[in-house]
Amino acid sequence: MKSNPILFSLFGSDHFAKRMHQQLGYEMGNITLHQFPDEETVINIKSLVNDKDVIMIADLTNPNGKILPLLFAAETARELGAKKIGLIAPYLVYMRQDKRFQPGDSITSHYFAKLITNYFDGLMTIDPHLHRWHDLNDIYYIPAIALHATKPIATWIKANVPDALLIGPDAESSQWVSSIAQRINAPFLILEKQRKGDNLVEITIPKIDLYQNHTPILVDDIISTAATMIKTVTHLKSLHMKPSICIGVHALFAGDAYENLQKSGVKQIITCNTIAHASNAIDVTNLMIEAMDDLFKT
């Protein structure tokens, strides 16, 4: 009889691991990461992993201090006899640098993918920042699953905003935003940006006047500086639209971005729980649970 995988939670991902343990019956593993005064790290896996599939669930935000311990944990499990080692990173870091924007730039998304591929046998994430890479398997040479939060986002909107008008931040978001809109039979529009000078960008929302009685919902995969959202909320206020709702999958919120977005006059800020944050209202755990059988499939 095949044994269930064993789950290890790293860097504060216990809420995901516990739900998976409860619903799937997977064993919860015991792992410790000890940092010495010189900031070197030693891993100790207290659970028996010999001849078992291991799944590590890791919050990789602020990644630089986490990557070495993550790789050490994977290598320790392998040396202790694990059959396969999978990584679930609800927010996948190092995806934005996907070309040399300046001569001499590093293409870090490719390098990070090489690292993960060398240490893990499968990867699962949610809405990675795919732009010039069209698929995770363009750079990951292990089974790599990119799940999408469109369904839980649509479910939240349908339950809470009966007069929704979805607004995507750019042309690249059109397919993603239209998928959410289609699920709830709601209209959607795509923001257009026009550069008027080196530091001046003007935004327009074509046909917005047709939806004066709708509630604008700005939807994006990552909310980092929130600059575009703040500018859009301000523009919508000038058009006397209803107060906006902002929805993001990944709540990065760099610096004072969250507070600045709150001050812009939004009605609500909602995010998925891929990154723990006060704005979390959409749980994506079931997305990962439903896809778990595919983690190691080629």
Side-chain angles (χ1 to χ4, degrees):
M1 181 177 176
K2 184 180 177 182
S3 62
N4 280 334
I6 181 167
L7 299 169
F8 290 97
S9 168
L10 297 172
F11 318 122
S13 299
D14 293 3
H15 55 298
F16 289 127
K18 287 176 181 176
R19 280 279 302 282
M20 293 174 186
H21 163 67
Q22 290 165 358
Q23 294 194 38
L24 296 171
Y26 291 179
E27 181 183 349
M28 286 287 289
N30 188 349
I31 186 171
T32 60
L33 285 67
H34 176 74
Q35 189 173 75
F36 293 106
D38 61 2
E39 296 190 6
E40 290 190 3
T41 301
V42 64
I43 307 297
N44 188 286
I45 294 178
K46 302 181 185 301
S47 306
L48 295 176
V49 297
N50 185 53
D51 205 32
K52 293 182 181 180
D53 289 342
V54 165
I55 299 173
M56 296 184 175
I57 309 170
D59 174 359
L60 295 182
T61 53
N62 304 310
N64 291 358
K66 297 176 180 178
I67 301 308
L68 275 180
L70 174 69
L71 301 183
F72 291 163
E75 189 65 9
T76 303
R78 198 174 298 281
E79 288 189 345
L80 293 175
K83 286 194 301 183
K84 290 183 177 180
I85 304 168
L87 172 63
I88 298 178
Y91 172 65
L92 185 61
V93 296
Y94 281 114
M95 288 297 296
R96 291 184 174 186
Q97 195 75 17
D98 53 11
K99 64 170 282 189
R100 297 191 205 284
F101 294 95
Q102 301 292 334
D105 273 357
S106 57
I107 308 176
T108 49
S109 56
H110 197 190
Y111 312 152
F112 184 72
K114 282 184 179 179
L115 275 176
I116 297 302
T117 296
N118 286 337
Y119 285 85
F120 291 89
D121 302 299
L123 169 69
M124 183 188 295
T125 188
I126 296 175
D127 284 311
H129 186 77
L130 293 171
H131 185 188
R132 290 166 188 86
W133 305 123
H134 300 295
D135 189 281
L136 281 181
N137 294 115
D138 290 346
I139 49 175
Y140 284 87
Y141 303 110
I142 53 176
I145 302 170
L147 304 174
H148 301 288
T150 50
K151 183 178 179 180
I153 289 174
T155 299
W156 186 91
I157 295 172
K158 187 173 183 179
N160 293 278
V161 192
D163 58 349
L165 166 66
L166 274 63
I167 299 175
D170 49 42
E172 292 153 9
S173 70
S174 179
Q175 185 174 358
W176 189 66
V177 174
S178 65
S179 175
I180 299 172
Q182 187 175 14
R183 287 179 178 273
I184 58 176
N185 195 28
F188 75 95
L189 300 173
I190 300 298
L191 196 71
E192 292 186 0
K193 302 176 187 178
Q194 295 180 323
R195 185 164 292 281
K196 299 293 186 178
D198 289 343
N199 298 306
L200 179 62
V201 177
E202 184 178 287
I203 65 169
T204 57
I205 309 173
K207 300 182 180 180
I208 187 70
D209 55 301
L210 299 177
Y211 302 100
Q212 198 71 36
N213 295 321
H214 287 66
T215 297
I217 300 183
L218 284 56
V219 186
D220 208 348
D221 58 346
I222 299 170
I223 309 179
S224 181
T225 64
T228 298
M229 278 192 169
I230 291 169
K231 195 173 185 68
T232 306
V233 168
T234 303
H235 179 65
L236 290 167
K237 284 171 65 178
S238 74
L239 299 176
H240 306 291
M241 297 291 292
K242 293 182 180 179
S244 303
I245 295 172
C246 294
I247 297 181
V249 178
H250 306 298
L252 282 184
F253 291 116
D256 297 328
Y258 182 60
E259 291 75 13
N260 292 337
L261 185 56
Q262 285 180 311
K263 293 172 184 175
S264 70
V266 294
K267 179 180 179 181
Q268 217 169 354
I269 303 170
I270 298 295
T271 60
C272 300
N273 63 340
T274 56
I275 299 169
H277 189 267
S279 60
N280 291 166
I282 300 172
D283 190 353
V284 293
T285 313
N286 282 341
L287 286 179
M288 296 181 284
I289 288 173
E290 291 166 4
M292 198 66 75
D293 288 343
D294 297 325
L295 181 58
F296 298 116
K297 284 186 178 178
T298 57

